[in-house]
Each structure stands twice: as structure tokens, then as C-alpha cells.
């Protein structure tokens, strides 16, 4: 099976790689261009939570063995989300999004983001081109598009997909007026390794009662986020059991742990200052944000933080985008609908995008319809579901953690 479309994807994150797998499964010629010089060139974060929308997109796009390997390396904690006060009183405790699903697919799970990316890359070695920073693209007379990269490379295709994240170069060209706003939140993100009985014993039991727990001082005050990742199977062992074997890096169980506060909180350094701090300085900054009146369990948890794992994050959120004329360039994921992480729906929505765009392109190709019709159908669906989630994330972030 071979479809007439050629597709370029800019960005080798989870959304771009999922889309590449989906298009390949439909016989569509696809190439991924990534600005990083190699897969491990920069930190990719740690934990990511996938619920029904993201898992459905992943299931639709990935070859069945790779999807099953993803599930084999997922964690399986109780599918609940908890919100507690800084004194650990329970303020909310409810089923995680997707756990009350009507379908037969798997429920919400935490995943190790680098492991997911390794699984996806294992099936796309020849399709991913590194060190390719997009600087421009141009429309050709025959309706195709040519991408131009900083090192002089060019690539032509029928469709260019920007999967290049919140600072998307593709979006800046396609939709120069599309706004990405500072959500007014800063995070220090890291993990608590659970290797060894003594470390795990030091983590309070309530941390493992939920898929994610937010401990909040209230709007305008600091907060703490905790997400356990306890693997069903060690990724390296699960990968070797795969046929053919998939080389996955060994990763031990851990708790993702982040301290956040509004940017204007008096104890929060500027983001430029945070970026200039060594890991030990980030730790000191995070400890200074939380006051002595937080429960002793919180201070015990932060004493277990792996200092070398820490890095700062600035949270952004997309402004609604007026409808635009469809053409041979489109966007998925944070490149078009960046959102705050309070609902854990950013990655889920990007993976849903990948599934929706794969479906739209394959249906149009089979019907012999123009590519622009497929792009229009995808963009209409995507903007409808994605920007309502962006709005919900903003509202929840304002209520829980003082997001703008």
C-alpha cells in the first residue's frame, strides 16, 4: 500500500514520532527533522501521564508490538488524583481523567517519557534526521512545500507538520499572530529515586495512594506535585523480551516531584535566575519557596530529592487562534495548543492530534480527495477539542495554583 502524500514532520517529540508511525502504517512517505543533534542532546523530562485520549492515539498509530511494549513499561498506581492542603488535609480526591471511560482500552497510567521516546525511535531509525533546525519554508507552484534548515538542507513534501513544541518555528511562520502566553507559573522539577528499601521507606504512604497528588498552599501560593512511577516491568528487561529486542535504558522506580509557585511570589527567583542556577541552587530555591508551616512529610520528601535531576520550567498557555486558511502546513501538540500541566492533558492531546491527522490523511488518500480537504477536516476537529482543554486547564490552574 502506498499513498500519494509525502509528509515532513518538524520535531521528534512524542507527538511527532507518534504521527510518523501512524503515517508509515498507512503507507505514507514520512520524514522527521529534529533540531537536536542526537536523541539525548537535552533533558526530556521524566514522568508523563497518559489517559484515554492519548492512549487511543498511541494505539491507533503505533505498530501493535510497540504499543504493547509501551504498556508493559508503564506504571499502574491507583487511578485517582488527590489535592491536599499544605497540612495534608484532603481537599479533593477523584477518579483520574479517563478512568471512568466507556471503551475497552487501558486506563490512565504514568510513563517514563524518555522510555516512551526510545520505544518510538526504535521503529523509526531511518526516518529521523538530527541537527535540522527549521529556519523557513516556502510554498511551491505545484502546491507542495519546501522546508529549509539552518545547515543548508532542504526537503520537499506535500505536507509540513509542525510538531516542534511551544516555541514552534513552524507556528511562527504559519500563524505569526498566534499568541503563547506566560501562564505566570515557575517550577523546579525533579525526581525522588525509589531504589533501595531505605529510600522508599522514607516516602509517606499517601504518596502512592494516587496517580498524582497536588499539595497546595492555595491560589497565589506555592504548591507541590507528586507522581509515582513504579514500573510493571523494568524497561530494559521488557525491551529485551520484545521480538525483535528493543534496547531500552535501565530506569528504576521513582516519584516525580515538583515545587512551583506564581512568578510574582516574593520567594520565587526570576526564570533567568533559575536557569542560571546549578542543581544545588535550584534545590535551595525550591526549599526557600515552601515555608516552615508545611507538613513535616513535605520537608521529608524534599530531603529525598535527587539534586542532580532538578531543572526549571516556565509554564506557557496558548491563546485561542482564529480560524486560518488550510494549506500544506499544519500543527500538532504544543506547537498550536500549549497548556498548563494541571490536568495532565498536554501530551494526551498531542497524541490524539497524531491519531486524528493520520486518520484524516489516510481517509482522504483512499478517497482520492485533495490533501487540503484532509488538513481542513483535521484542523476543524483539533481546534474544537484542544482549545476547550486549554481553557479548562487555565481555569483549574487559576483555582489550584494561581495560574494567570
Amino acid at each position: 500500500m502506498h499513498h500519494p502524500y509525502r509528509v515532513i514532520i518538524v520535531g521528534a517529540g512524542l507527538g511527532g514520532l507518534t504521527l510518523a508511525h501512524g503515517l508509515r502504517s498507512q503507507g505514507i512517505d514520512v520524514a522527521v527533522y529534529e533540531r537536536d543533534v542526537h536523541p539525548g542532546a537535552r533533558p526530556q523530562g521524566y514522568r508523563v501521564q497518559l489517559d484515554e485520549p492519548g492512549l487511543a492515539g498511541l494505539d491507533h498509530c503505533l505498530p501493535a508490538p510497540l504499543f504493547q511494549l509501551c504498556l508493559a513499561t508503564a506504571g499502574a498506581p491507583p487511578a485517582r488524583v488527590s489535592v491536599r492542603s499544605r497540612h495534608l488535609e484532603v481537599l479533593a480526591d477523584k477518579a483520574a481523567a479517563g478512568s471512568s471511560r466507556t471503551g475497552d482500552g487501558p486506563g490512565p497510567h504514568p510513563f517514563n517519557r524518555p522510555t516512551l521516546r526510545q520505544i518510538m525511535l526504535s521503529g523509526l531509525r531511518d526516518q529521523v534526521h538530527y541537527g535540522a533546525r527549521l529556519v523557513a519554508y516556502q510554498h511551491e507552484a505545484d502546491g507542495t512545500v519546501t522546508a529549509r534548515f539552518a545547515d543548508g538542507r532542504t526537503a520537499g513534501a506535500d505536507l509540513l507538520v509542525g510538531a516542534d513544541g511551544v516555541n514552534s518555528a513552524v507556528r511562527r511562520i504559519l500563524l505569526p499572530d498566534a499568541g503563547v502566553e506566560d501562564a505566570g507559573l515557575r517550577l523546579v522539577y525533579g525526581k525522588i529515586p525509589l531504589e533501595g528499601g531505605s529510600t522508599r521507606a522514607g516516602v509517606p504512604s499517601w504518596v502512592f495512594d494516587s496517580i498524582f497528588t497536588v499539595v497546595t498552599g492555595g491560589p497565589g501560593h506555592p504548591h507541590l506535585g507528586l507522581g509515582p512511577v513504579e514500573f510493571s516491568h523494568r524497561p530494559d528487561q521488557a525491551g529485551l523480551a520484545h521480538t525483535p529486542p528493543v534496547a531500552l535504558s535501565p530506569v528504576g522506580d521513582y516519584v516525580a516531584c515538583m515545587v512551583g509557585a506564581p512568578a510574582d511570589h516574593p520567594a520565587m527567583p526570576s526564570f533567568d535566575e533559575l536557569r542560571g542556577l546549578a542543581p544545588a541552587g535550584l534545590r535551595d530555591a525550591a526549599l526557600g519557596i515552601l515555608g516552615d508551616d508545611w507538613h513535616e512529610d513535605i520537608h521529608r520528601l524534599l530531603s529525598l530529592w535527587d539534586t542532580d535531576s532538578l531543572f526549571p520550567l516556565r509554564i506557557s498557555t496558548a491563546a485561542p487562534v482564529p480560524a486560518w486558511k488550510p494549506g500544506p502546513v499544519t500543527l500538532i501538540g504544543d506547537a498550536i495548543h500549549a497548556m498548563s500541566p494541571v490536568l495532565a492533558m498536554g501530551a494526551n492531546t498531542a497524541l490524539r492530534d497524531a491519531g486524528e491527522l493520520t486518520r484524516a490523511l489516510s481517509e482522504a488518500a483512499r478517497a482520492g480527495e485533495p490533501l487540503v480537504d484532509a488538513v481542513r477536516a483535521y484542523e476543524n476537529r483539533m481546534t474544537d477539542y484542544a482549545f476547550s482543554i486549554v481553557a479548562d486547564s487555565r481555569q483549574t490552574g487559576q483555582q489550584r495554583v494561581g495560574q494567570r
Side-chain angles (χ1 to χ4, degrees):
M1 178 177 61
H2 179 76
H3 288 312
Y5 304 146
R6 296 170 300 144
V7 179
I8 291 170
I9 300 169
V10 177
L14 298 184
L17 295 176
T18 300
L19 176 61
H21 276 289
L23 298 180
R24 280 189 72 201
S25 73
Q26 298 300 313
I28 295 173
D29 183 12
V30 62
V32 182
Y33 289 84
E34 165 59 46
R35 67 181 179 182
D36 289 345
V37 295
H38 60 79
R42 59 189 170 90
Q44 296 292 322
Y46 306 116
R47 178 188 181 277
V48 59
Q49 180 177 315
L50 298 185
D51 300 327
E52 187 172 25
L55 290 169
L58 209 60
D59 190 15
H60 181 73
C61 292
L62 260 61
L66 289 186
F67 179 66
Q68 291 303 318
L69 182 56
C70 290
L71 294 181
T73 58
R80 308 197 63 76
V81 174
S82 298
V83 181
R84 293 172 177 260
S85 75
R86 68 181 185 276
H87 304 302
L88 298 188
E89 298 132 333
V90 176
L91 304 178
D93 181 28
K94 62 181 182 179
S99 59
S100 300
R101 63 199 187 283
T102 57
D104 297 326
H109 290 286
F111 294 79
N112 186 51
R113 182 185 291 267
T115 299
L116 278 183
R117 195 160 179 257
Q118 282 185 324
I119 292 171
M120 294 180 188
L121 284 169
S122 71
L124 295 172
R125 296 291 183 197
D126 297 333
Q127 281 73 39
V128 182
H129 308 277
Y130 294 98
R133 181 173 63 84
L134 183 85
V135 292
Y137 65 77
Q138 67 186 49
H139 298 273
E140 306 296 350
D142 62 358
T144 62
V145 61
T146 300
R148 300 190 180 280
F149 301 96
D151 61 2
R153 273 181 285 181
T154 63
D158 300 291
L159 179 65
L160 170 65
V161 181
D164 47 344
V166 66
N167 296 313
S168 171
V170 179
R171 184 192 65 245
R172 285 197 298 269
I173 302 169
L174 177 65
L175 301 173
D177 296 327
V180 178
E181 302 169 355
D182 184 345
L185 294 176
R186 306 291 183 264
L187 299 179
V188 177
Y189 186 18
K191 61 181 180 178
I192 299 169
L194 296 177
E195 295 98 331
S198 58
T199 302
R200 197 186 193 290
V203 177
S205 60
W206 56 263
V207 172
F208 301 100
D209 291 341
S210 301
I211 195 168
F212 197 79
T213 300
V214 176
V215 185
T216 177
H221 295 278
H223 67 277
L224 179 82
L226 297 161
V229 181
E230 297 182 282
F231 295 103
S232 304
H233 302 88
R234 271 184 41 186
D236 51 323
Q237 294 178 351
L240 292 178
H242 188 274
T243 304
V246 177
L248 298 176
S249 300
V251 186
D253 296 345
Y254 63 91
V255 177
C257 177
M258 60 214 75
V259 170
D264 57 3
H265 187 277
M268 175 61 76
S270 72
F271 191 65
D272 284 343
E273 290 177 298
L274 286 175
R275 286 196 301 180
L277 293 175
L282 286 172
R283 183 193 187 97
D284 291 343
L287 293 174
I289 291 166
L290 299 183
D292 294 335
D293 60 340
W294 286 59
H295 194 281
E296 62 181 10
D297 279 4
I298 303 303
H299 293 285
R300 186 182 313 129
L301 280 165
L302 293 182
S303 73
L304 300 173
W305 235 357
D306 175 10
T307 301
D308 289 339
S309 74
L310 302 183
F311 62 91
L313 283 173
R314 175 174 54 197
I315 305 304
S316 300
T317 188
V321 182
W324 65 93
K325 183 179 179 181
V329 181
T330 195
L331 301 160
I332 69 169
D334 283 352
I336 181 62
H337 49 63
M339 62 187 74
S340 63
V342 292
L343 296 182
M345 289 303 292
N348 281 284
T349 311
L351 299 183
R352 179 177 179 179
D353 294 347
E356 294 283 357
L357 184 52
T358 294
R359 192 173 290 110
L361 290 174
S362 60
E363 289 174 356
R366 282 194 296 269
E369 297 173 352
L371 179 139
V372 69
D373 291 349
V375 173
R376 179 184 293 109
Y378 158 71
E379 290 175 348
N380 286 343
R381 285 198 296 267
M382 177 270 292
T383 54
D384 184 53
Y385 62 72
F387 280 99
S388 65
I389 300 172
V390 172
D392 289 346
S393 295
R394 183 194 296 266
Q395 182 179 37
T396 303
Q398 289 169 341
Q399 295 168 346
R400 286 186 186 171
V401 295
Q403 177 181 338
R404 289 177 188 160

